[in-house]
Amino acid sequence: MSNELMESLARQAETGGALYDGRGGVDDAVVAPARRRVRRARTMRTAGTLGVTALVLAGGVAAALEWQGQRADVAPAITDVPVVDPDAITADDLRAGTMERTLDDGRTGQAGVLCTMTVKDNPYAGANFSRADSCPAVWVAEAPLVELTRADVVVGGDGTVRVAWELANVSGGPIAVDRGTIGIAITSEPDRVMSGEGYTAGDRRLIAPSLWSDRGKRVVQMEGDSDLLALGTGDLLDGDVVLDPQMFTGLGTEGLLEGMSDGTVHPTVTLQVRVAPAGAAGTDELFLEASAVATTTGSMDPVPVSFEGLEPRTRGETRDDAQEALVCHVGEAENPRFQPDDGDGMANWSTPTCEAVWIPGGRLLELTDVGIAQQGEHTSVFQWSAVNVSGRALDLDEASAGVSIDLGDVGYVSNSDGVSVGWTPWNDDSRRHALLSSASEPVTVAPGDPITGEKTFERDDKALDAHGAVFVRVVREDDEDGTRELLLELPWSLAG
Amino acid sequence: MRTWARTLDATMRADGASLLAYARELCGDPETAERLLEDALTRTFARARVPEGRDDARGAVRDELRRAAVQLDAPAGEAREAADPFAPPGPVLPLDGTDASSTRAALAALTPRERAVLVMRYSDGLAVPAIAAGAHLHEAAVRDALTTAVTRLLALEPRLGLRVEDALEGGVLDSAAVTVEAG
């Protein structure tokens, strides 16, 4: 042990003691702020009953307005509450009283999530990106501060899901919340730890089996433009969120849309509300969580007859008695064919995730020629031709044919004018990205007749020995229904 | 006045100087010490269960100081490479040519966590398990921080006579046996 080290440490301690003794200002600088923060935290914790009373009154007013039809259905909508309130509880006030929270720890109170990051990585401190993180779960207070007083889920006929929510401050004082960054999560099994399923997130919406990434951590999405306000006792925030069917094709969404539609899954809606810090955003971000099992209504329309009889297909599977195809469940609002024309003469394209299927009954189209020609220093042209081998006439959409060039695990993908070049388009063994277009030109291809296409894309020499697929949309009898699209998938390979 | 407020005021009247001194010792910086103490007071008295008396409160605030001190961020731009135990001592020049100032300079080379665990080990006399329990750290994290701190100090100030083995194996296990003398 080192006496000199201990003496040096002790001298610095003495300096601290002398600082206290020699400065009356320590009371102002240390004790008074601590006293204020303690008072706020204690006031909030003990004011739960008072808050509930205020909520009942506010709820009554809200119900009356709704009955009179004066309540707008907008997203996100917020009641009129003061923006600035110096007495509002901040994240700094709440952080002081947080406790570790774990799944099934048996406690109740205000749940929260506390994320720590460097300032340069903090999206609320100017970092130019959003992030979804797994952060420690915490108990913020012994009684709820906010409650989800409304969580209504409506499943539309085309699979579009609308979630309407209402959040109330049930504490005894105002809370400084960031209404611009409120995240909403839909979970199917909220009381278990995720077991590798992953989650799908974007634009402050998150779908997952559960938010628990392990027994002590929760997933939270950090995104959006800050918009701070003081949410007073009994004040309400409300809003609604639309989730298109494509949101339910990502990781962690398996069976959720179908389960909500047929009533076998009762989803839990969780709002994650960022509490504003006392000053500028720094290294800590605190989120309050409010959850409720949603009231679910509505159901998807039955799958049209055009899609009946399709059989599941896995990546790499081959069959001679069936045609490779894809079913893209996009919902009409997200289907380029049903979106308004930009008027610029250019087709709009999207790259949805689609389910791989077989159309049983033999092959329909077979590629007879595929090639890539260089056209100058920066441009390549993909040319393809196929022939109708089905023995019957096929109604196909010539203008919307797209090309996918799979370069493997290259780490980039370029989508342009109906050609997708780069990263492998397969999400998993049964789902992959395809291409849909706003352009449509139905043609009838007689048995034995060809159909051809040509696509220009930015030159990438790795494409010269790549593999991929051509997609040709099937024109269905119910083609005016844009909920789903059926594409024939024609695989090709230039390797060897 | 409420009970918690009375206890807080009484604690600070009696022990404010020693608590601020301890905070200063843990972090080495007067401004950070004030912030640490404010946070520690808030955490202690915002709990549902208020400390029952001055002694109870003083111990609780000290525990919070320890927990907060090991979580302090290193100042921006001062992230340090882990010390190479085989590297020769670096040419650290004493600030004013005295042993005391060169020891102070060596201490300033530590990260906040390294300094805090060093204080708990040598000034409070705590063993690694007691430091871990008091600071809410895993024992492995305490060992890592102590090893790095001692290695770094040895490289800068060999005459301090520190030994990694002593740092890791010495000290008392019961943190309650250690008290801070009023400044």
Side-chain angles (χ1 to χ4, degrees):
Chain A
M1 196 179 295
S2 166
N3 287 332
E4 191 174 329
L5 172 64
M6 292 173 66
E7 285 165 10
S8 180
L9 292 170
R11 270 195 298 277
Q12 294 195 355
E14 285 169 12
T15 311
L19 182 75
Y20 187 91
D21 293 336
R23 270 181 64 188
V26 169
D27 190 63
D28 291 338
V30 177
V31 182
R35 209 184 279 124
R36 275 196 299 274
R37 289 169 60 188
V38 173
R39 188 177 299 117
R40 279 185 190 171
R42 300 188 73 82
T43 299
M44 218 174 37
R45 182 186 299 128
T46 56
T49 310
L50 192 63
V52 169
T53 309
L55 168 68
V56 169
L57 293 172
V61 172
L65 286 174
E66 194 165 34
W67 183 78
Q68 293 168 28
Q70 295 179 3
R71 197 137 176 247
D73 182 23
V74 290
I78 290 93
T79 51
D80 262 334
V81 286
V83 174
V84 179
D85 184 343
D87 293 329
I89 300 297
T90 65
D92 299 62
D93 301 324
L94 293 172
R95 271 206 319 274
T98 58
M99 290 174 54
E100 180 183 85
R101 175 165 67 112
T102 57
L103 178 62
D104 295 333
D105 65 8
R107 296 175 184 272
T108 57
Q110 177 58 56
V113 182
L114 183 58
C115 296
T116 304
M117 66 208 91
T118 62
V119 173
K120 72 178 172 53
D121 290 332
N122 186 339
Y124 310 113
N128 189 25
F129 54 86
S130 62
R131 56 187 287 167
D133 249 354
S134 182
C135 301
V138 292
W139 289 112
V140 177
E142 291 174 352
L145 307 177
V146 291
E147 280 184 358
L148 198 54
T149 51
R150 179 187 179 202
D152 294 339
V153 169
V154 180
V155 181
D158 70 347
T160 299
V161 174
R162 180 177 287 248
V163 184
W165 55 265
E166 191 173 81
L167 181 84
N169 176 356
V170 296
S171 79
I175 306 172
V177 302
D178 188 346
R179 64 178 164 183
T181 64
I182 292 175
I184 186 165
I186 313 289
T187 55
S188 49
E189 297 173 80
D191 298 323
R192 71 163 172 90
V193 174
M194 280 192 281
S195 55
E197 300 100 325
Y199 55 85
T200 294
D203 196 18
R204 292 182 287 124
R205 299 165 298 171
L206 192 149
I207 304 174
S210 164
L211 293 177
W212 290 102
S213 57
D214 65 34
R215 299 191 71 79
K217 286 186 174 173
R218 307 263 291 169
V219 176
V220 62
Q221 199 184 4
M222 290 175 255
E223 197 171 25
D225 298 325
S226 256
D227 181 11
L228 307 181
L229 86 163
L231 188 66
T233 300
D235 282 346
L236 302 171
L237 298 182
D238 63 12
D240 61 11
V241 171
V242 175
L243 305 167
D244 64 67
Q246 277 290 299
M247 281 288 288
F248 293 90
T249 62
L251 291 175
T253 64
E254 188 76 31
L256 181 54
L257 179 57
E258 294 75 14
M260 290 192 296
S261 177
D262 64 22
T264 55
V265 172
H266 304 284
T268 291
V269 172
T270 299
L271 289 190
Q272 294 179 318
V273 184
R274 176 179 178 246
V275 184
T283 56
D284 296 306
E285 290 295 345
L286 178 68
F287 301 86
L288 302 182
E289 289 193 323
S291 299
V293 176
T295 303
T296 307
T297 55
S299 61
M300 285 191 286
D301 295 336
V303 177
V305 66
S306 321
F307 296 89
E308 284 181 359
L310 303 175
E311 297 170 3
R313 175 167 65 98
T314 56
R315 182 182 185 181
E317 185 184 1
T318 56
R319 276 173 69 172
D320 292 329
D321 63 344
Q323 170 69 50
E324 293 97 338
L326 297 168
V327 173
C328 307
H329 186 186
V330 289
E332 212 158 271
E334 296 300 318
N335 188 336
R337 197 159 60 90
F338 289 79
Q339 287 166 355
D341 189 351
D342 289 345
D344 60 1
M346 300 282 288
N348 293 324
W349 293 83
S350 70
T351 55
T353 299
C354 307
E355 184 186 353
V357 296
W358 290 108
I359 302 175
R363 303 198 70 76
L364 303 177
L365 269 188
E366 271 187 5
L367 281 173
T368 54
D369 190 29
V370 170
I372 293 177
Q374 308 298 9
Q375 194 176 70
E377 192 180 347
H378 302 295
T379 308
S380 295
V381 178
F382 185 96
Q383 294 166 316
W384 61 273
S385 61
V387 63
N388 178 355
V389 295
S390 68
R392 58 191 166 93
L394 296 175
D395 290 327
L396 303 172
D397 190 344
E398 196 169 32
S400 68
V403 175
S404 164
I405 302 175
D406 183 350
L407 301 183
D409 194 15
V410 291
Y412 63 86
V413 64
S414 164
N415 297 306
S416 173
D417 200 23
V419 183
S420 178
V421 187
W423 221 330
T424 185
W426 285 87
N427 297 22
D428 54 42
D429 276 349
S430 62
R431 287 179 297 187
R432 62 161 296 161
H433 287 286
L435 290 145
L436 293 182
S437 175
S438 61
S440 180
E441 190 178 329
V443 294
T444 300
V445 183
D449 275 4
I451 178 170
T452 62
E454 185 176 291
K455 288 286 176 194
T456 302
F457 63 100
E458 189 177 346
R459 178 172 174 167
D460 188 330
D461 288 345
K462 286 191 280 297
L464 295 175
D465 60 354
H467 61 277
V470 172
F471 307 111
V472 183
R473 191 178 78 81
V474 176
V475 178
R476 312 179 317 269
E477 286 183 6
D478 60 344
D479 216 35
E480 70 284 356
D481 179 357
T483 301
R484 294 172 181 79
E485 296 287 17
L486 178 63
L487 308 182
L488 304 185
E489 181 181 338
L490 311 177
W492 53 264
S493 174
L494 296 176
Chain B
M1 187 185 285
R2 293 178 185 276
T3 307
W4 67 262
R6 275 200 304 273
T7 309
L8 191 158
D9 286 350
T11 303
M12 287 305 286
R13 269 199 307 276
D15 301 311
S18 68
L19 288 169
L20 189 60
Y22 188 53
R24 172 78 158 86
E25 193 176 2
L26 283 169
C27 69
D29 169 65
E31 288 181 7
T32 308
E34 289 190 356
R35 184 158 53 86
L36 272 185
L37 184 54
E38 180 192 325
D39 286 347
L41 288 170
T42 306
R43 282 183 174 274
T44 301
F45 289 94
R47 289 186 201 131
R49 179 190 164 276
V50 177
E52 289 177 359
R54 212 160 46 76
D55 291 344
D56 193 12
R58 185 181 59 202
V61 174
R62 279 167 44 77
D63 285 347
E64 292 295 348
L65 285 173
R66 287 172 175 158
R67 285 173 204 171
V70 297
Q71 300 297 341
L72 282 173
D73 290 329
E78 291 187 24
R80 302 171 177 88
E81 297 291 326
D84 177 359
F86 302 106
V92 176
L93 297 176
L95 296 174
D96 56 9
T98 64
D99 290 348
S101 64
S102 62
T103 305
R104 200 162 56 239
L107 285 169
L110 305 182
T111 67
R113 175 174 293 187
E114 289 162 6
R115 180 191 171 100
V117 296
L118 196 79
V119 168
M120 286 183 252
R121 171 65 191 86
Y122 285 114
S123 189
D124 297 351
L126 297 179
V128 167
I131 296 172
H136 278 212
L137 288 176
H138 196 280
E139 283 187 28
V142 175
R143 282 196 203 93
D144 284 350
L146 262 181
T147 302
T148 311
V150 170
T151 307
R152 202 188 301 279
L153 284 180
L154 275 176
L156 295 169
E157 284 291 324
R159 62 189 170 71
L160 286 176
L162 296 172
R163 292 174 56 237
V164 173
E165 296 76 15
D166 171 63
L168 298 182
E169 292 166 14
V172 297
L173 291 173
D174 183 6
S175 63
V178 181
T179 57
V180 174
E181 296 303 319

